[in-house]
Amino acid sequence: MPQPSHRAASTSSMGRGVLKGAFALLDELRRQGGEAGLTQIANACGLPKASAHRLLHQLLMVGAVERHRGRYRVGGQLYRIGQAWQPHPGLRLAARQPLHVLRAATGASVVVTVLYEDLALTIASVPGEVEPVAPVRDGMGFTLDTAAGQVLTAGPPRRVAGGPEAAVLEREQVMDGVCCAALPVGSPDGRLCAAITAMVPPHRPLRTVAEQTARAGAAITANLRRAARSSVSLPPVLRH
C-alpha cells in the first residue's frame, strides 16, 4: 500500500495546528465574555500577535468572529452553527414554553442544563427576579456542586420519577440571595436527559417553587414524547 508522503503528512499536521489555534482563539473570546482585543487574545493563547491576527482574519472571512470598535467578538455564523447542537433531540424547543410558564408562575430565573464534561451546561434559559445577582444565559456552565449539578450526577443513568420529592433544594449555599430547586427531566423512554432549575430570592417558598418546577419538567418530557411519536421532526430553534 502506498505510504503518505512527508509533504502530505506535514500539510495535515499544519492543518490541525491551524484548527487548534483557531479554536483556542474562539475559546478565549468565550472566556473573556465574548469580546477582547488582539493583544489580550494573543497573550492569553500564547501566540505571537502576527499569528493571532492572521487566524482572526481567517475567522472574520467565514463569519466566525466579528470586529467591533477595534476589538474581536464571536460572530453570528458561529452562533447559528452552535444552535444546531442538540444534547437530546428537540430538548431546547420542548423546554421553551414550560420555562416561560414557570417563570410567569414563580418569578424564577429558570434554566435547563445537561451534563457536559465537568459542568451542568445551560441549553435553555429564562431570566427572572434574581437576574441582577445571578444572570442566566444559554451556554453558561454551572459547577457540579450546584443543585443542577447534583441532579445530573446522582449516580448512573436512571429512570426519572416525577414529583417535587425528587428535588434538590439549595438555600443560599452557593450564592447569597439565591435559592434553587432543581429536578430531573426525563427523556421519552423515562431516563434522565437534563435538569430543570428554578432560582428565586430567599423570601420565595422553595417547596412551592419545587412543585411548580416539577410540573414544568413533566411538561418538557411530555413535549419530547409527543415529538418522538410524530412522524415530523421538531424544527430547529432558529431558522434563517
Side-chain angles (χ1 to χ4, degrees):
M1 177 181 294
Q3 296 298 312
S5 68
H6 291 297
R7 177 174 294 182
S10 176
T11 300
S12 176
S13 178
M14 287 176 59
R16 287 194 298 271
V18 170
L19 283 172
K20 184 177 179 181
F23 273 93
L25 294 178
L26 292 169
D27 198 42
E28 185 56 33
L29 282 175
R30 178 189 62 80
R31 284 194 293 267
Q32 296 292 340
E35 185 174 294
L38 173 60
T39 301
Q40 183 180 5
I41 298 168
N43 289 343
C45 294
L47 290 171
K49 281 182 67 174
S51 298
H53 184 268
R54 184 171 60 253
L55 286 170
L56 285 166
H57 178 72
Q58 292 171 341
L59 291 168
L60 273 167
M61 296 300 290
V62 296
V65 300
E66 300 170 350
R67 287 199 71 180
H68 178 67
R69 296 179 181 176
R71 293 164 67 83
Y72 294 89
R73 62 188 183 187
V74 173
Q77 178 68 2
L78 195 66
Y79 177 77
R80 285 191 290 271
I81 292 170
Q83 292 295 299
W85 182 70
Q86 291 282 332
H88 183 88
L91 177 58
R92 187 181 290 113
L93 188 58
R96 180 181 291 171
Q97 184 178 15
L99 261 62
H100 282 279
V101 170
L102 180 58
R103 162 68 177 87
T106 64
S109 291
V110 191
V111 297
V112 171
T113 55
V114 296
L115 185 62
Y116 184 75
E117 295 181 346
D118 59 348
L119 291 171
L121 182 66
T122 303
I123 60 98
S125 60
V126 178
E129 289 181 68
V130 299
E131 176 71 7
V133 181
V136 296
R137 300 289 184 274
D138 292 1
M140 73 184 298
F142 295 90
T143 57
L144 298 183
D145 60 346
T146 58
Q150 291 178 54
V151 168
L152 293 170
T153 56
R158 64 191 191 281
R159 296 191 67 80
V160 172
E165 65 277 0
V168 173
L169 304 181
E170 181 185 280
R171 293 180 171 86
E172 299 185 89
Q173 286 100 327
V174 174
M175 182 177 294
D176 291 342
V178 180
C179 298
C180 300
L183 290 102
V185 175
S187 62
D189 65 359
R191 295 188 179 277
L192 176 70
C193 72
I196 180 170
T197 305
M199 305 161 64
V200 295
H203 66 270
R204 292 283 185 183
L206 200 55
R207 283 287 175 186
T208 301
V209 171
E211 292 171 0
Q212 293 165 315
T213 304
R215 287 196 286 272
I220 295 172
T221 299
N223 287 343
L224 289 172
R225 286 179 181 147
R226 279 193 292 271
R229 288 195 299 266
S230 173
S231 59
V232 180
S233 299
L234 281 172
V237 175
L238 295 178
R239 287 199 165 197
H240 297 276

